[in-house]
Amino acid sequence: MLEKVRKLAEKVNKYTPKSEEDLNRFRVEYLGRRGVLNGLFSSFKRVPNEQKKELGSSINNLKNLVQKKIESYKDFFEEEEIGGDVDLSKPVSLNNLGSRHPISLVRSEILDIFNRIGFTISEGPEIEDDWHNFSALNLPEEHPARDMQDTFFIQTNPDILLRTHTSSVQVRHMENTSPPIRTLSPGRVYRNEAVSARAHCIFHQVEGLYIDEKVSFADLKQALLYFAKEMFGEKTKIRLRPSYFPFTEPSAEVDIYLGTNSDSDYRITKGTGWLEILGCGMVDPNVLENCGIDPKKYSGYAFGMGIERIAMLKYGVKDLRLFFENDIRFLKQFSSL
Ligand code: PHE
């Protein structure tokens, strides 16, 4: 029987299919239910035990040989089909469509909303110098408020750092443009924070800046109310809480009202129903002066928000790290948006 298997292997080795049908016939002949291999396996049961080891492995080898032969020619015929007899009426198989990243979706939605009230976009470098990220923004060296934004420095040069907010872009914009200014700066920012469900060392911001004559806090409040309604729905309520930022005076944090009806709303709002979504305020006159704008003539407001936080709220995402892991099962859920 061993000899029979050897001969069969030789035959398989020599075999060259002439067409796809021929290959199919070969497959059925060897691998079919009543095929050669099943035949061999059933007579295998009847051979004496001491022959089983050698015979078993030679039958298995034969089976592998047959399968490899089929595999290699299957591709060959498939390729040939493309070159030769092409059926142009055959429906194409659809490519898997990719999806936009949720951060990119929310980023464009925020930009769209503010575009509609006249804001344009300005961008700047992610590697910044001390002046644009801190000093010009009324955060001189040794100012304790620098601790609010744990900073990554580039090597040992304390003057060069990864920007901690996109306010740095607004400084650049003010330096190069004269009012009226109405600009948004979206981008990636870096802070030396432990990574958790609520914080990451890299995240994305959109900051806004409006400077003109007689800009007031009421203008700021109105713009933010408009934003909240466009983003989260007509019924959205906001509240402003006094806060502190070195570059704005007065400063506030804006909360939106989620309520406490669901467990998760109760949890994320710590039982108050309110959740903070952004920081804002009237641009400090020192900042205007640092950037070459006359604070006696002009005033302005600024605001800044984290895109991840808005996206978490909008899509009910519970863990911020999901935005950075590129897990296709997570990303696919946004494919229809
Ligand atoms: N730059 C601030 C931050 O990143 C946000 C902010 C922008 C606050 C503008 C007030 C005004 O925390």
Side-chain angles (χ1 to χ4, degrees), residues 49 76 79 99 114 120 144 181 183 195 214 284 317 334-335:
N49 272 347
F76 173 78
E79 274 164 31
S99 52
F114 283 105
T120 54
I181 289 173
T183 185
V195 176
K214 301 198 183 78
D284 192 299
V317 176
F334 301 91
S335 56

Side-chain angles (χ1 to χ4, degrees), residues 137 148-149 164-167 170 191 203 205 207-208 245 247-248 251-252 278-281 301-305:
L137 288 161
M148 287 163 77
Q149 303 182 351
T164 57
H165 49 186
T166 55
S167 307
Q170 308 188 329
R191 291 186 199 176
F203 60 101
Q205 278 191 327
E207 296 216 353
F245 298 104
F247 28 86
T248 47
S251 306
L278 57 86
C280 64
Y301 66 68
F303 57 87
M305 67 189 97

Side-chain angles (χ1 to χ4, degrees), residues 132-165:
H132 291 98
N133 196 79
F134 289 130
S135 300
L137 288 161
N138 213 20
L139 267 153
E141 230 174 290
E142 313 298 338
H143 194 294
R146 285 195 180 198
D147 284 351
M148 287 163 77
Q149 303 182 351
D150 275 338
T151 310
F152 286 119
F153 293 92
I154 303 288
Q155 293 186 336
T156 50
N157 185 347
D159 193 44
I160 307 291
L161 45 90
L162 295 178
R163 68 181 179 197
T164 57
H165 49 186

Side-chain angles (χ1 to χ4, degrees), residues 83-100:
D85 224 357
V86 186
D87 179 358
L88 291 174
S89 64
K90 245 183 173 175
V92 289
S93 53
L94 288 176
N95 284 336
N96 274 338
L97 285 179
S99 52
R100 286 187 70 187

